[in-house]
Amino acid sequence: MTTTTTTTSPETVTPPSTPLLNRFRVPGGFVLGAVLLLGVAPLVLSDFRLSLLAKYLCYAIVAVGVSLAWGRGGLMVLGQGVFFGLGGYAMAMHLKLTDAAATGEKLPDFMQLYGTGDALPWWWTPFANPGFALAMTVLLPMAVAALLGFFVFQRRVKGAYFAILSQALAAALSIWLVGQQATTGGTNGLTDIQGFFGYSLDDPVNQRMVYFIIAAVLLLLMALARQLFVSRYGELLVAVRDSEERVRFLGYNPANIKLVAYVVAAGMAGLAGALFVPAVGIISPALIGIVPSIGFVIGAAVGGRASLVGAVLGAIAVAWAQSTLSDEFPAAWTYLQGLLFVLAVGFLPGGLASLGVVLRKRRTGGGTRSRTSGETA
């Protein structure tokens, strides 16, 4: 009599299906952000605090572009102050011309003070048109970024050399603006802006309107960046960051892929600078030099440059800390800001957004293990 023995194969563990909650996580996050920014914040914050938040949200818009270019593309963009300043000056020039026309003057007040004559500089004239000025707040930074990025990426300049070139551009623009006192306001910049497309900025209601515009633009740009992240282009950008030579062997041009991310990030920074002007009422070389450019990157690094939400929250937190601590420790804040950057890059590269993952890995011993031959980790 023979007995047949049956061998049971190892149990196959299938990964659990995606919960319904995860499918609506991203849309739910945007809805929650919209409720907090557009509903809760205007109700609980005073006019002064709300204007400060509007300023911080402008920095957060820059952080969205930094997350795309640096977090996804690996481009250390240390010159975003250039594009922030180009967008800010384009908007401020139009608003200064509008303020002068409202008082019956042909020239802005600072040009009358410095005695530049009766004629408006030729390159100021087109900015009297609101459509042209609005277009230039985005197109001018993107054009400069496209010109610089084309030569830099085609020459395969990357890493620290690209960061140094970005900072050199920021320093050059700041020095040029300071030297053109008669036409750009010099060190003071363009100040005392009174109106915003026909609305007085002295009215708290109009200031709240500016805040709502900034918050809405931030949410829209985050949605746009999210779509880029999950698109085929986003996958190519990550591939270029991780292995540029392999992408080139597959038939793609890494220079063009990086150029698109750099130009889009520049456009976002220019739009942030344009919205910063009515929120604060000033734009000056001190806001677009090397130190502000590093500050934009620090905010994204602290929050988590690879995470949109992390970069945005990090930029807001660092901007709030700068406003709070720089008043009490004016000489030490710059060193503290640099220390934050070193700590974030050296010890927590993923920023605060990756803190949960790091703690989870330490708690589980550094990763997942296959416990049986038939189980998938």
Short mmCIF file of all heavy atoms in Angstrom, two decimals, residues 56 58-60 62-63 66 70 76-81 84 167 170 286-303 311-320 322 333-334 336-338 340-341:
data_model
loop_
_atom_site.label_atom_id
_atom_site.label_comp_id
_atom_site.label_asym_id
_atom_site.label_seq_id
_atom_site.Cartn_x
_atom_site.Cartn_y
_atom_site.Cartn_z
N TYR A 56 5.06 85.36 4.21
CA TYR A 56 5.64 84.02 4.33
C TYR A 56 5.17 83.11 3.20
O TYR A 56 5.94 82.27 2.72
CB TYR A 56 5.26 83.39 5.68
CG TYR A 56 5.68 84.18 6.89
CD1 TYR A 56 5.03 84.03 8.11
CD2 TYR A 56 6.72 85.10 6.82
CE1 TYR A 56 5.41 84.76 9.22
CE2 TYR A 56 7.10 85.85 7.92
CZ TYR A 56 6.43 85.67 9.13
OH TYR A 56 6.81 86.40 10.23
N CYS A 58 4.59 83.98 0.20
CA CYS A 58 5.39 84.30 -0.99
C CYS A 58 6.69 83.50 -0.99
O CYS A 58 7.12 82.98 -2.02
CB CYS A 58 5.69 85.80 -1.04
SG CYS A 58 4.25 86.85 -1.33
N TYR A 59 7.31 83.39 0.18
CA TYR A 59 8.51 82.55 0.29
C TYR A 59 8.16 81.08 0.03
O TYR A 59 8.97 80.33 -0.52
CB TYR A 59 9.13 82.69 1.67
CG TYR A 59 9.64 84.08 1.98
CD1 TYR A 59 9.67 84.56 3.28
CD2 TYR A 59 10.09 84.93 0.98
CE1 TYR A 59 10.14 85.83 3.58
CE2 TYR A 59 10.55 86.20 1.25
CZ TYR A 59 10.57 86.65 2.57
OH TYR A 59 11.04 87.91 2.85
N ALA A 60 6.97 80.67 0.45
CA ALA A 60 6.54 79.29 0.23
C ALA A 60 6.38 79.00 -1.26
O ALA A 60 6.64 77.88 -1.72
CB ALA A 60 5.25 79.01 0.98
N VAL A 62 8.19 80.29 -3.64
CA VAL A 62 9.56 80.03 -4.10
C VAL A 62 9.97 78.61 -3.74
O VAL A 62 10.63 77.91 -4.52
CB VAL A 62 10.53 81.05 -3.51
CG1 VAL A 62 11.95 80.81 -4.05
CG2 VAL A 62 10.10 82.47 -3.84
N ALA A 63 9.59 78.16 -2.53
CA ALA A 63 9.96 76.82 -2.08
C ALA A 63 9.35 75.73 -2.95
O ALA A 63 9.93 74.65 -3.10
CB ALA A 63 9.54 76.63 -0.62
N VAL A 66 11.74 75.41 -5.70
CA VAL A 66 12.96 74.79 -5.20
C VAL A 66 12.77 73.29 -5.03
O VAL A 66 13.66 72.48 -5.33
CB VAL A 66 13.39 75.44 -3.86
CG1 VAL A 66 14.56 74.69 -3.24
CG2 VAL A 66 13.77 76.90 -4.09
N TRP A 70 15.37 71.28 -7.05
CA TRP A 70 16.38 70.66 -6.19
C TRP A 70 15.92 69.31 -5.65
O TRP A 70 16.66 68.32 -5.71
CB TRP A 70 16.71 71.60 -5.03
CG TRP A 70 17.83 71.12 -4.16
CD1 TRP A 70 18.89 70.34 -4.52
CD2 TRP A 70 18.02 71.42 -2.78
NE1 TRP A 70 19.72 70.12 -3.46
CE2 TRP A 70 19.21 70.77 -2.37
CE3 TRP A 70 17.30 72.16 -1.85
CZ2 TRP A 70 19.69 70.85 -1.06
CZ3 TRP A 70 17.78 72.25 -0.55
CH2 TRP A 70 18.97 71.60 -0.16
N MET A 76 21.05 72.41 -7.22
CA MET A 76 21.22 73.28 -6.06
C MET A 76 21.02 74.73 -6.51
O MET A 76 21.95 75.42 -6.92
CB MET A 76 22.59 73.10 -5.44
CG MET A 76 22.87 73.99 -4.25
SD MET A 76 21.81 73.67 -2.85
CE MET A 76 22.60 72.24 -2.17
N VAL A 77 19.78 75.21 -6.45
CA VAL A 77 19.43 76.54 -6.96
C VAL A 77 19.65 77.57 -5.85
O VAL A 77 18.74 77.89 -5.09
CB VAL A 77 17.97 76.56 -7.46
CG1 VAL A 77 17.86 75.90 -8.80
CG2 VAL A 77 17.04 75.85 -6.48
N LEU A 78 20.84 78.10 -5.80
CA LEU A 78 21.18 79.11 -4.79
C LEU A 78 21.05 80.53 -5.33
O LEU A 78 21.57 81.46 -4.71
CB LEU A 78 22.61 78.88 -4.27
CG LEU A 78 22.81 77.64 -3.39
CD1 LEU A 78 24.27 77.53 -2.97
CD2 LEU A 78 21.91 77.70 -2.18
N GLY A 79 20.37 80.69 -6.46
CA GLY A 79 20.22 82.03 -7.02
C GLY A 79 18.77 82.40 -7.29
O GLY A 79 18.50 83.23 -8.17
N GLN A 80 17.84 81.82 -6.53
CA GLN A 80 16.43 82.12 -6.76
C GLN A 80 16.09 83.57 -6.43
O GLN A 80 15.07 84.08 -6.88
CB GLN A 80 15.55 81.18 -5.93
CG GLN A 80 15.61 79.72 -6.36
CD GLN A 80 15.23 79.52 -7.80
OE1 GLN A 80 16.11 79.47 -8.67
NE2 GLN A 80 13.95 79.38 -8.07
N GLY A 81 16.92 84.22 -5.64
CA GLY A 81 16.70 85.64 -5.36
C GLY A 81 16.72 86.48 -6.62
O GLY A 81 16.06 87.53 -6.69
N PHE A 84 13.23 86.05 -8.11
CA PHE A 84 12.33 86.70 -7.18
C PHE A 84 12.40 88.22 -7.36
O PHE A 84 11.38 88.91 -7.39
CB PHE A 84 12.71 86.32 -5.75
CG PHE A 84 11.79 86.85 -4.69
CD1 PHE A 84 10.65 86.16 -4.34
CD2 PHE A 84 12.08 88.02 -4.02
CE1 PHE A 84 9.79 86.63 -3.34
CE2 PHE A 84 11.25 88.51 -3.03
CZ PHE A 84 10.11 87.81 -2.69
N GLN A 167 24.83 81.80 -7.40
CA GLN A 167 25.10 82.85 -6.42
C GLN A 167 25.79 84.05 -7.05
O GLN A 167 25.52 85.19 -6.67
CB GLN A 167 25.94 82.29 -5.29
CG GLN A 167 25.18 81.46 -4.29
CD GLN A 167 25.88 81.38 -2.95
OE1 GLN A 167 27.10 81.35 -2.89
NE2 GLN A 167 25.11 81.36 -1.90
N ALA A 170 23.17 86.19 -8.59
CA ALA A 170 22.42 86.95 -7.58
C ALA A 170 23.23 88.15 -7.09
O ALA A 170 22.70 89.26 -6.93
CB ALA A 170 22.06 86.04 -6.41
N ALA A 286 18.33 94.31 -1.06
CA ALA A 286 18.57 93.51 0.13
C ALA A 286 17.70 92.26 0.17
O ALA A 286 18.01 91.31 0.90
CB ALA A 286 18.31 94.34 1.38
N LEU A 287 16.62 92.24 -0.61
CA LEU A 287 15.70 91.10 -0.61
C LEU A 287 16.02 90.09 -1.70
O LEU A 287 15.35 89.05 -1.78
CB LEU A 287 14.27 91.60 -0.81
CG LEU A 287 13.72 92.52 0.29
CD1 LEU A 287 12.41 93.14 -0.15
CD2 LEU A 287 13.53 91.73 1.58
N ILE A 288 17.02 90.36 -2.54
CA ILE A 288 17.27 89.48 -3.68
C ILE A 288 18.73 89.09 -3.81
O ILE A 288 19.11 88.50 -4.82
CB ILE A 288 16.81 90.15 -4.99
CG1 ILE A 288 17.63 91.41 -5.25
CG2 ILE A 288 15.34 90.49 -4.94
CD1 ILE A 288 17.31 92.07 -6.56
N GLY A 289 19.55 89.38 -2.83
CA GLY A 289 20.96 89.06 -2.92
C GLY A 289 21.27 87.62 -2.58
O GLY A 289 20.43 86.72 -2.65
N ILE A 290 22.52 87.39 -2.17
CA ILE A 290 22.98 86.03 -1.87
C ILE A 290 22.29 85.48 -0.62
O ILE A 290 21.84 84.33 -0.60
CB ILE A 290 24.51 86.03 -1.70
CG1 ILE A 290 25.18 86.35 -3.04
CG2 ILE A 290 24.99 84.69 -1.18
CD1 ILE A 290 26.68 86.41 -2.96
N VAL A 291 22.22 86.29 0.43
CA VAL A 291 21.64 85.81 1.68
C VAL A 291 20.17 85.42 1.52
O VAL A 291 19.76 84.33 1.97
CB VAL A 291 21.82 86.86 2.79
CG1 VAL A 291 21.11 86.43 4.07
CG2 VAL A 291 23.31 87.08 3.07
N PRO A 292 19.32 86.24 0.89
CA PRO A 292 17.94 85.78 0.68
C PRO A 292 17.85 84.53 -0.19
O PRO A 292 16.99 83.67 0.04
CB PRO A 292 17.27 86.98 0.00
CG PRO A 292 18.08 88.15 0.39
CD PRO A 292 19.48 87.65 0.46
N SER A 293 18.73 84.41 -1.18
CA SER A 293 18.71 83.23 -2.04
C SER A 293 19.01 81.97 -1.24
O SER A 293 18.38 80.92 -1.43
CB SER A 293 19.72 83.38 -3.18
OG SER A 293 19.39 84.47 -4.01
N ILE A 294 19.98 82.06 -0.33
CA ILE A 294 20.28 80.92 0.53
C ILE A 294 19.11 80.64 1.46
O ILE A 294 18.79 79.49 1.75
CB ILE A 294 21.57 81.19 1.32
CG1 ILE A 294 22.76 81.31 0.37
CG2 ILE A 294 21.83 80.09 2.34
CD1 ILE A 294 24.06 81.66 1.04
N GLY A 295 18.44 81.71 1.93
CA GLY A 295 17.30 81.53 2.81
C GLY A 295 16.17 80.75 2.15
O GLY A 295 15.51 79.93 2.79
N PHE A 296 15.96 80.97 0.84
CA PHE A 296 14.93 80.22 0.14
C PHE A 296 15.24 78.72 0.15
O PHE A 296 14.36 77.88 0.34
CB PHE A 296 14.81 80.69 -1.32
CG PHE A 296 14.30 82.10 -1.45
CD1 PHE A 296 14.80 82.95 -2.43
CD2 PHE A 296 13.31 82.57 -0.62
CE1 PHE A 296 14.33 84.24 -2.56
CE2 PHE A 296 12.81 83.87 -0.75
CZ PHE A 296 13.33 84.70 -1.72
N VAL A 297 16.50 78.38 -0.05
CA VAL A 297 16.90 76.98 -0.09
C VAL A 297 16.84 76.37 1.30
O VAL A 297 16.46 75.20 1.47
CB VAL A 297 18.31 76.86 -0.69
CG1 VAL A 297 18.82 75.43 -0.63
CG2 VAL A 297 18.31 77.34 -2.14
N ILE A 298 17.21 77.14 2.33
CA ILE A 298 17.20 76.63 3.70
C ILE A 298 15.78 76.23 4.10
O ILE A 298 15.57 75.20 4.74
CB ILE A 298 17.78 77.67 4.66
CG1 ILE A 298 19.28 77.81 4.43
CG2 ILE A 298 17.52 77.29 6.12
CD1 ILE A 298 19.93 78.89 5.26
N GLY A 299 14.81 77.06 3.76
CA GLY A 299 13.43 76.73 4.11
C GLY A 299 13.00 75.40 3.52
O GLY A 299 12.39 74.56 4.20
N ALA A 300 13.32 75.18 2.23
CA ALA A 300 12.96 73.91 1.59
C ALA A 300 13.74 72.75 2.18
O ALA A 300 13.20 71.65 2.34
CB ALA A 300 13.20 74.00 0.09
N ALA A 301 15.01 72.97 2.53
CA ALA A 301 15.83 71.90 3.08
C ALA A 301 15.36 71.49 4.47
O ALA A 301 15.32 70.30 4.80
CB ALA A 301 17.30 72.34 3.13
N VAL A 302 15.01 72.45 5.30
CA VAL A 302 14.57 72.14 6.65
C VAL A 302 13.25 71.38 6.62
O VAL A 302 13.06 70.38 7.34
CB VAL A 302 14.44 73.43 7.48
CG1 VAL A 302 13.76 73.15 8.82
CG2 VAL A 302 15.82 74.03 7.72
N GLY A 303 12.31 71.82 5.79
CA GLY A 303 11.02 71.14 5.74
C GLY A 303 11.06 69.82 5.01
O GLY A 303 10.33 68.89 5.34
N ALA A 311 8.41 71.27 2.01
CA ALA A 311 9.11 72.48 1.56
C ALA A 311 8.33 73.73 1.89
O ALA A 311 8.89 74.75 2.33
CB ALA A 311 9.38 72.39 0.06
N VAL A 312 7.01 73.69 1.68
CA VAL A 312 6.16 74.85 1.96
C VAL A 312 6.16 75.17 3.45
O VAL A 312 6.36 76.33 3.86
CB VAL A 312 4.74 74.61 1.44
CG1 VAL A 312 3.77 75.65 1.97
CG2 VAL A 312 4.73 74.64 -0.09
N LEU A 313 5.93 74.16 4.28
CA LEU A 313 5.90 74.39 5.72
C LEU A 313 7.27 74.81 6.25
O LEU A 313 7.37 75.65 7.15
CB LEU A 313 5.43 73.13 6.44
CG LEU A 313 3.98 72.72 6.18
CD1 LEU A 313 3.63 71.45 6.94
CD2 LEU A 313 3.01 73.83 6.54
N GLY A 314 8.33 74.24 5.68
CA GLY A 314 9.68 74.65 6.09
C GLY A 314 9.97 76.10 5.76
O GLY A 314 10.57 76.83 6.55
N ALA A 315 9.55 76.54 4.56
CA ALA A 315 9.77 77.93 4.18
C ALA A 315 9.01 78.88 5.09
O ALA A 315 9.54 79.93 5.50
CB ALA A 315 9.35 78.14 2.73
N ILE A 316 7.78 78.52 5.42
CA ILE A 316 6.99 79.37 6.33
C ILE A 316 7.62 79.40 7.71
O ILE A 316 7.72 80.47 8.34
CB ILE A 316 5.54 78.86 6.40
CG1 ILE A 316 4.86 79.01 5.03
CG2 ILE A 316 4.75 79.61 7.45
CD1 ILE A 316 3.48 78.41 4.96
N ALA A 317 8.08 78.25 8.22
CA ALA A 317 8.66 78.18 9.56
C ALA A 317 9.96 78.97 9.63
O ALA A 317 10.19 79.72 10.60
CB ALA A 317 8.89 76.72 9.94
N VAL A 318 10.82 78.84 8.63
CA VAL A 318 12.09 79.57 8.63
C VAL A 318 11.85 81.07 8.49
O VAL A 318 12.52 81.88 9.15
CB VAL A 318 13.01 79.04 7.51
CG1 VAL A 318 14.23 79.93 7.35
CG2 VAL A 318 13.44 77.61 7.81
N ALA A 319 10.90 81.46 7.66
CA ALA A 319 10.59 82.89 7.53
C ALA A 319 10.03 83.45 8.84
O ALA A 319 10.38 84.57 9.24
CB ALA A 319 9.59 83.10 6.40
N TRP A 320 9.18 82.67 9.50
CA TRP A 320 8.66 83.11 10.80
C TRP A 320 9.79 83.23 11.82
O TRP A 320 9.85 84.20 12.60
CB TRP A 320 7.61 82.14 11.31
CG TRP A 320 7.16 82.42 12.70
CD1 TRP A 320 6.23 83.33 13.11
CD2 TRP A 320 7.65 81.80 13.90
NE1 TRP A 320 6.11 83.31 14.48
CE2 TRP A 320 6.97 82.38 14.99
CE3 TRP A 320 8.60 80.81 14.13
CZ2 TRP A 320 7.21 82.00 16.30
CZ3 TRP A 320 8.85 80.42 15.45
CH2 TRP A 320 8.15 81.01 16.52
N GLN A 322 12.90 83.81 11.21
CA GLN A 322 13.73 84.96 10.86
C GLN A 322 13.11 86.26 11.36
O GLN A 322 13.79 87.12 11.92
CB GLN A 322 13.92 85.02 9.35
CG GLN A 322 14.78 86.20 8.89
CD GLN A 322 14.97 86.21 7.40
OE1 GLN A 322 14.37 85.41 6.68
NE2 GLN A 322 15.79 87.10 6.91
N TRP A 333 21.48 85.76 13.95
CA TRP A 333 20.51 85.03 13.16
C TRP A 333 21.13 84.43 11.91
O TRP A 333 20.82 83.30 11.51
CB TRP A 333 19.35 85.93 12.76
CG TRP A 333 18.54 85.34 11.65
CD1 TRP A 333 18.40 85.81 10.38
CD2 TRP A 333 17.77 84.13 11.71
NE1 TRP A 333 17.60 84.99 9.65
CE2 TRP A 333 17.20 83.94 10.44
CE3 TRP A 333 17.51 83.19 12.70
CZ2 TRP A 333 16.38 82.86 10.14
CZ3 TRP A 333 16.71 82.11 12.41
CH2 TRP A 333 16.15 81.95 11.14
N THR A 334 22.05 85.16 11.25
CA THR A 334 22.65 84.64 10.03
C THR A 334 23.41 83.35 10.30
O THR A 334 23.35 82.39 9.51
CB THR A 334 23.60 85.69 9.42
OG1 THR A 334 22.86 86.90 9.18
CG2 THR A 334 24.17 85.20 8.11
N LEU A 336 22.79 81.27 12.78
CA LEU A 336 21.80 80.25 13.09
C LEU A 336 21.16 79.72 11.81
O LEU A 336 20.90 78.52 11.68
CB LEU A 336 20.74 80.83 14.02
CG LEU A 336 19.59 79.88 14.42
CD1 LEU A 336 20.14 78.66 15.13
CD2 LEU A 336 18.58 80.60 15.30
N GLN A 337 20.92 80.60 10.86
CA GLN A 337 20.35 80.18 9.59
C GLN A 337 21.30 79.23 8.85
O GLN A 337 20.88 78.20 8.31
CB GLN A 337 20.07 81.42 8.73
CG GLN A 337 19.19 81.17 7.53
CD GLN A 337 18.93 82.45 6.76
OE1 GLN A 337 19.81 83.29 6.59
NE2 GLN A 337 17.71 82.61 6.27
N GLY A 338 22.58 79.56 8.85
CA GLY A 338 23.56 78.67 8.24
C GLY A 338 23.65 77.34 8.96
O GLY A 338 23.80 76.28 8.33
N LEU A 340 21.22 75.82 10.55
CA LEU A 340 20.04 75.05 10.16
C LEU A 340 20.27 74.33 8.83
O LEU A 340 19.91 73.16 8.66
CB LEU A 340 18.82 75.97 10.04
CG LEU A 340 18.13 76.40 11.33
CD1 LEU A 340 17.05 77.42 11.03
CD2 LEU A 340 17.54 75.21 12.05
N PHE A 341 20.89 75.03 7.89
CA PHE A 341 21.15 74.43 6.59
C PHE A 341 22.13 73.27 6.70
O PHE A 341 21.93 72.20 6.10
CB PHE A 341 21.69 75.50 5.63
CG PHE A 341 21.90 75.01 4.23
CD1 PHE A 341 20.84 74.56 3.48
CD2 PHE A 341 23.16 75.01 3.67
CE1 PHE A 341 21.02 74.11 2.18
CE2 PHE A 341 23.36 74.56 2.38
CZ PHE A 341 22.29 74.12 1.64
#
